[in-house]
Amino acid sequence: MFLSDAINVPVLGIIENMAYFTPEELPNNKYYIFGQGGAKNLAEDLQVPFLGEVPLVQSIREAGDYGRPAALQTASVIEKVFEDITRNVVQETVSRNESLPPTEAIKITTMAGCSAVKGK
């Protein structure tokens, strides 16, 4: 479960962002600018799955500048990264749904102040 009992939401796993730098001209090279294995170690310490690592590449920033999800990039190193992470998230979601009871993320107890119902 999440570390706060008040939240009571299971953690599916950990994804490390900016895990390593891969220059476009050397796609097989990985430079661990911020250290290596931090998210994997954290996942082990918290006993949650490690879901993957996203490299630090310019195309992610460029996609964000244009409002396009980086996960939709094709024919790039990012395509495989996001496919693997998505596969892992789906697997953990399926496992979570098989092994834990449903959780209630949000409970609306009053509609007072809700702009969606004003004027009705």
Side-chain angles (χ1 to χ4, degrees):
M1 291 295 163
F2 189 72
L3 296 179
S4 170
D5 291 335
I7 295 175
N8 196 30
V9 174
V11 174
L12 292 177
I14 293 177
I15 299 170
E16 183 169 5
N17 191 26
M18 300 189 310
Y20 55 88
F21 172 68
T22 297
E24 188 175 341
E25 63 277 3
L26 299 169
N28 296 321
N29 289 19
K30 293 181 179 181
Y31 300 97
Y32 293 91
I33 298 169
F34 303 112
Q36 186 174 1
K40 284 182 183 178
N41 293 335
L42 178 61
E44 286 177 17
D45 290 348
L46 296 177
Q47 298 179 348
V48 298
F50 177 71
L51 301 174
E53 51 190 15
V54 179
L56 176 62
V57 292
Q58 186 171 340
S59 65
I60 292 176
R61 195 258 321 144
E62 290 169 344
D65 288 350
Y66 288 102
R68 290 189 309 249
L72 297 180
Q73 294 182 28
T74 58
S76 71
V77 66
I78 297 305
E79 178 180 27
K80 178 158 178 23
V81 166
F82 281 107
E83 280 181 3
D84 291 345
I85 289 172
T86 301
R87 192 173 293 107
N88 292 338
V89 168
V90 168
Q91 179 57 51
E92 289 306 318
T93 302
V94 169
S95 296
R96 178 257 176 261
N97 289 341
E98 290 174 348
S99 63
L100 293 173
T103 57
E104 186 175 359
I106 299 173
K107 182 175 182 180
I108 299 173
T109 58
T110 178
M111 298 305 283
C114 180
S115 62
V117 296
K118 284 188 178 181
K120 289 187 178 183

